[in-house]
Amino acid sequence: MIVRCIANTGASLPAANIDTRRGYDRATEFPLTIGDSYAVFAFTIFLGTGWYYVIDDDRLDWPTWMPASLFDVVDGSIPAGWKLGYVRLSADDQRPIVSFPEWADDPAFYERLVDQDPVAVQVFDRRRREIEA
């Protein structure tokens, strides 16, 4: 799945995505380059709309989630083997996740990846190579 950035500020977000408590307002600037394409490593629903996990211009070792409204879909093919999972971080923070099985089946996968757990990093590096190929 490949998406192309068409906007990179909160000014382009739908009203449903504006949530100052979570750091999203009309002045928010996202580390994305308009016109660049990004591989999608997972997608979810948050604040009532779609969000994509991409490696943004900060080039962290893990994908970060960005509002889908900032992108056009270039290639909407969902990689073979991806699954639907459900993340329950708290009573107020629950959402579906569609990604490769190791992520979809493990609600703590993303946290472990960000914390640089060696197993999660190894899995993500392998899946990243597959997705970006």
Side-chain angles (χ1 to χ4, degrees), residues 8-11 13-31 46-47 51 65-67 70 93:
N8 58 9
T9 68
L13 296 178
N17 287 155
I18 302 302
D19 187 336
T20 55
R21 293 172 299 135
R22 297 181 193 269
Y24 303 112
D25 60 29
R26 296 288 177 204
T28 300
E29 294 184 16
F30 296 90
F46 180 67
L47 298 175
W51 291 64
W65 61 350
M66 300 286 162
L70 301 177
D93 193 358

Side-chain angles (χ1 to χ4, degrees), residues 66-100:
M66 300 286 162
S69 60
L70 301 177
F71 301 93
D72 277 340
V73 175
V74 174
D75 178 355
S77 303
I78 297 172
W82 275 30
K83 296 176 69 176
L84 171 65
Y86 200 80
V87 178
R88 290 178 177 88
L89 298 175
S90 71
D92 293 329
D93 193 358
Q94 301 184 31
R95 59 189 164 274
I97 186 84
V98 177
S99 188
F100 46 86

